[in-house]
Amino acid sequence: MKLFYMVMGFMAGLLPLSAMSAVSGYQRPVPQPQSATAELWFLLATVMLVVSLYVVHRVVKGR
């Protein structure tokens, strides 16, 4: 009976491999380049982060 469970466990372990071979034609999607608008928003967020870090620095330094 123990051998039966070992064989069934082994077969269950091979099951995902057969599913992966069925989709062997899968191609990963290629990421699209960022637009100018996205780059502008990223720049704005970066500047705001640096400004907020400086404000926190001044508040902590003043204590």
Side-chain angles (χ1 to χ4, degrees):
M1 196 64 164
K2 194 175 191 180
L3 179 64
F4 174 74
Y5 288 128
M6 283 180 30
V7 170
M8 292 305 287
F10 180 73
M11 296 299 267
L14 293 179
L15 191 61
L17 295 177
S18 64
M20 285 175 32
S21 66
V23 290
S24 62
Y26 175 75
Q27 294 180 355
R28 293 177 57 183
V30 178
Q32 299 296 319
Q34 288 186 351
S35 64
T37 306
E39 290 183 4
L40 178 66
W41 279 110
F42 185 78
L43 174 67
L44 181 65
T46 304
V47 170
M48 292 304 294
L49 175 66
V50 170
V51 168
S52 65
L53 286 174
Y54 179 73
V55 169
V56 168
H57 166 72
R58 296 293 292 183
V59 167
V60 171
K61 185 179 177 185
R63 288 185 176 197

